[in-house]
């Protein structure tokens, strides 16, 4: 061997003839089953291959590969292993120049077949499979370092290599890689265990994948999992995709996520457990990809998941409607539970993905999800609910709000306007999301996630009388100008939502706890002196509603409202630290503890609490009194004039212009509740000041005439029916809430002309044509004051009307 090696190195041009001769001898010996001579020939070829690196080695390599192919084609396991070992040695040699004509199609096919060996002897079977895996690893190493390496990534090769590796990886009995990347195998395991060796080869293959061939390497994984039904249970599928996500380059992660989404679409009609298995795999992939680059697939992920959430709810609704008695009913119940597994998996994936996004992307996803929540009376949501029915629509509302709750968890905005823009807040506080206690709970929890910017919510958990709020160590900052502006614009909307939420008949303890937390968070995060006064007015209004009970609430709910008011006033009195206010609240709570414990949260929300028969006969010392509160706050510099005005929830524009409102669940209750409220339009008045211009001051007549909208309406049209009046009132409300300011100004100009004629009748004066615009008109609505509107100056003899 030494002489032959020396001769070959000295005369490399002879390598071709040496290789041809050895190949001819080896072929003859293989056919004649002369294993000893075969071993000698392969040993000679291996040593020559390792010793010679000249340009003349190319023809010799062809003879060498031909001999290896002969060994792999033989039926003897020892020869197959021998040929594999020789090929692996050859694969580790780095050639100086690429070979443009050499192909490895035969070796890919043969090594893949060896990976599926079914030899009767377990030891020989394992040995052949290990040889096949090592051969594939050799092919991969050889081709990826070659100039023609793209050939190995062709689908016809990947469809053989990847399933062969996965087939051997399935033999891993237990995989636990939840806390991080799957553990790398040790050197000893690589040589002895086909599963570990296959996993290592799979990692190496994926690690060498590039942008153009990533999909070719991933798609055979789906085919293998489908063929072997490995989505349910999906432990192996999860393990495979963890390996994929940790092995590929981070910037290619979104390709894998796109492939999973595409496969989910392709299998959308499969059983719920299969879809749930795919979604759980997506969750694991997203969990890894979210830590790095996730590419342009953010909205695609959410859009696809929301589409499948709707499909799942639709399947569930169809099963419930189509269920019958007997065994079919049991199957329907089982499918229903399976669909819930799918829905929970989707929500968990949405929440996890959303919570790992940067804030700017998370706010977009919040708007994206909110835009798909079905809100009756509008067409702004983009999710098709035509096939769901009422039950399915309620179900999809709950699912989407749960998704939104997970996305908003941990979101910290610098200003509340960023977290709760009008386009998000309006549908969130829609009456359509108040028809069920669970929906109301989810809405409040979403608001808490967005309002609680200093992590105070955990300290406020559970409704109770807090002896000393200072012990909670509440974190708060000075209210910024943007937050103050937000409360001026949207405060009434929040108050109204809390007010109506307290008066729902299906409230449970959790609803009252969340309402209390809402009031407390507004106090901490958004309350200046004006907001504190408004919140106290709201609390007193809730107390009055519980006492008067216009809504015919059960006694438990009335006592629950009283307990909520007590807990909140106890909290706010200590937060603003006005001693007289704290003393009044503490005194009322002390009297309640002795005489009416059912008015306190610690008692009313306890099992088997004794309830009173009525509230009308109770002593006024059990209630929080407006005059006492006003007196205590007035002494500390608060502007308490508004405390004397009872809080009345303003009727906001509940649906966009041109849309019909959704028929309420309790029509009579909602109509009665609205009829008892004072409309915004009732408070809108147009004040016309008649100022002295050219006459002495002692001749001045009464200088102000107040004409309300009701008076004008009666003067213009008294023939309308009650239904027409309600419709007109609704249209005017919408106009003032949603119309552009310029449109309102134009409308007021026309109103000014009507006033012109009306005042002429009242004052019996001759009016000249109006000249150029001048003067202002002020419109007030409740506590809000809109900016001045220019109107025409209308001249009378000796009088000037503005």
């Amino acid at each position: 061997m030494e002489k032959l090696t020396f001769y070959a190195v000295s005369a490399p041009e002879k390598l071709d003839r040496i290789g041809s001769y050895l190949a001819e001898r080896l072929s003859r010996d293989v056919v004649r089953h002369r294993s000893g001579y075969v071993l000698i020939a392969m040993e000679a070829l291996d040593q020559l291959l390792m010793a010679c690196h000249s340009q003349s080695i190319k023809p010799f390599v062809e003879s060498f590969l031909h001999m290896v192919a002969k060994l792999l084609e033989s039926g003897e396991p020892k020869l197959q292993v021998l040929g594999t070992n020789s090929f692996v040695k050859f694969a580790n040699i780095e050639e100086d120049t690429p070979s443009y004509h050499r192909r490895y199609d035969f070796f890919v096919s043969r090594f893949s077949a060896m990976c599926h060996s079914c030899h009767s002897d377990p030891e020989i079977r394992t040995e052949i499979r290990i040889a096949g895996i090592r051969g594939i690893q050799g092919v991969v190493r050889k081709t990826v370092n070659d100039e023609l390496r793209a050939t190995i990534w062709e689908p016809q090769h990947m469809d053989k290599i990847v399933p062969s590796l996965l087939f051997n990886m399935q033999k891993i009995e237990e995989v636990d890689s939840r806390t991080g990347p799957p553990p790398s195998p040790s050197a000893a395991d690589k040589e002895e265990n086909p599963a570990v060796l296959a996993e290592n080869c799979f990692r190496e293959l994926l690690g060498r994948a590039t942008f153009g061939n990533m999909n070719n390497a991933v798609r055979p994984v789906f085919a293998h999992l489908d063929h072997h039904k490995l989505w349910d249970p999906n432990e192996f599928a999860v393990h495979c995709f963890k390996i994929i996500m940790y092995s590929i380059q981070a910037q290619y992660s979104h390709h894998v996520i796109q492939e999973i989404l595409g496969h989910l679409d392709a299998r959308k009609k499969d059983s719920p457990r299969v879809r749930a298995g795919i979604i759980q795999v997506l969750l694991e992939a997203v969990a890894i990809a979210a830590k790095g680059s996730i590419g342009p697939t953010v909205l695609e992920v959410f859009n696809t998941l929301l589409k499948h959430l709707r499909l799942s709810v639709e399947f569930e609704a169809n099963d419930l409607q189509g269920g019958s008695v007997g065994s079919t009913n049991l199957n329907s119940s089982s499918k229903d539970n399976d669909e819930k597994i799918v829905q929970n998996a989707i929500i968990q994936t949405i929440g996890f993905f959303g919570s790992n996004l940067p804030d700017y992307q998370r706010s977009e996803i919040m708007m994206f999800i909110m835009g798909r929540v079905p809100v009756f009376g509008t067409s702004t949501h983009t999710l098709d609910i035509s096939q769901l029915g009422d039950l399915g629509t309620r179900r999809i509302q709950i699912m989407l709000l749960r998704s939104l709750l997970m996305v908003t968890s941990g979101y910290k905005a610098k200003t509340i306007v960023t977290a709760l823009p009008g386009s998000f807040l309006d549908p969130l506080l829609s009456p359509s999301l108040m028809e069920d206690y669970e929906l109301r709970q989810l809405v409040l929890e979403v608001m808490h996630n967005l309002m609680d910017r200093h992590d105070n919510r955990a300290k406020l958990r559970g409704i109770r009388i807090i002896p000393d709020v200072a012990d909670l160590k509440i974190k708060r900052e000075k209210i910024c100008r943007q937050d103050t502006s937000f409360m001026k614009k949207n405060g009434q909307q929040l108050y109204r939502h809390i007010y109506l939420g307290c008066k729902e008949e299906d409230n449970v303890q959790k609803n009252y706890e969340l309402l209390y937390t809402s009031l407390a968070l507004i106090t901490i995060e958004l309350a200046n002196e004006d907001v504190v006064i408004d919140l106290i007015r709201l609390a007193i209004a809730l107390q009055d509603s519980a006492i008067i009970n216009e809504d015919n609430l059960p006694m438990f709910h009335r006592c629950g409202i009283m307990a909520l008011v007590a807990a909140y006033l106890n909290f706010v009195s200590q937060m603003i630290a006005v001693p007289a206010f704290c003393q009044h609240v503490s005194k009322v709570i002390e009297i309640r503890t002795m005489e009416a414990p059912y008015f306190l949260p610690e008692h009313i929300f306890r099992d088997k609490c004794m309830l009173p028969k009525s509230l009308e006969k109770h002593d006024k010392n059990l209630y929080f009194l407006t005059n006492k509160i006003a007196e205590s706050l007035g002494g500390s510099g608060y502007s308490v004039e508004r405390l004397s005005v009872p809080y009345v929830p303003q009727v906001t524009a509940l649906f966009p212009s041109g849309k019909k409102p959704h028929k309420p669940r309790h029509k009579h209750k909602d109509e009665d509740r609205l009829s008892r409220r004072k409309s915004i339009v009732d408070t809108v008045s147009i004040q016309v000041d008649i100022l002295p211009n050219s006459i002495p001051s002692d001749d001045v007549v009464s200088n102000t005439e107040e004409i309300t909208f009701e008076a004008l309406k009666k003067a213009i049209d008294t023939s309308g029916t009650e239904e027409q009046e309600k419709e007109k009132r609704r249209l005017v409300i919408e106009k003032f809430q949603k119309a552009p300011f310029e449109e309102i100004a134009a409308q007021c100009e026309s109103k000014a002309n009507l006033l012109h004629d009306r005042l002429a009748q009242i004052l019996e004066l001759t009016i000249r044509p109006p000249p150029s615009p001048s003067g202002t008109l002020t419109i007030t609505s409740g506590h809000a004051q809109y900016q001045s509107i220019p109107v025409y100056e209308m001249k009378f003899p000796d009088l000037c009307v503005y």
Side-chain angles (χ1 to χ4, degrees), residues 47 60 156 189 195 258 329 409 465 498 525 535 563 614 633 664 699 726 734 792:
Q47 290 196 29
F60 176 77
Q156 64 266 27
D189 289 337
Q258 282 179 322
N329 200 14
S409 178
I465 302 296
I498 293 173
E525 298 286 350
L535 290 171
S614 68
L633 293 178
D699 294 331
K726 287 183 179 179
E734 289 181 10
Y792 284 96

Side-chain angles (χ1 to χ4, degrees), residues 651-676:
V651 182
T652 55
L654 306 180
F655 29 82
S657 178
K659 306 298 180 184
K660 293 183 179 180
H662 169 62
K663 184 177 179 180
R665 183 184 48 171
H666 303 299
K667 182 179 178 183
H668 66 281
K669 184 178 79 171
D670 285 2
E671 285 184 352
D672 291 344
R673 190 179 288 176
L674 287 173
S675 65
R676 286 194 296 271

Side-chain angles (χ1 to χ4, degrees), residues 436-501:
D436 180 86
Y437 75 95
E438 189 175 356
L439 284 172
R440 296 196 299 276
Q441 290 175 5
L442 290 169
V443 168
L444 290 173
E445 287 176 332
V446 169
M447 286 177 54
H448 295 172
N449 280 347
L450 298 174
M451 282 185 183
D452 185 23
R453 292 171 289 176
H454 298 90
D455 299 321
N456 292 312
R457 184 172 34 164
K459 303 170 186 176
L460 301 169
R461 188 164 294 145
I463 180 171
R464 64 195 189 280
I465 302 296
I466 303 173
D468 188 357
V469 174
D471 292 341
L472 299 180
K473 297 181 180 179
I474 299 292
K475 298 178 183 177
R476 64 185 307 190
E477 295 178 3
K478 185 178 179 180
I479 309 302
C480 65
R481 186 176 60 183
Q482 292 90 337
D483 290 350
T484 302
S485 175
F486 172 84
M487 288 305 293
K488 285 182 179 179
K489 184 178 180 181
N490 301 295
Q492 294 298 327
Q493 197 173 2
L494 294 174
Y495 304 151
R496 181 181 186 277
H497 184 81
I498 293 173
Y499 182 83
L500 297 181

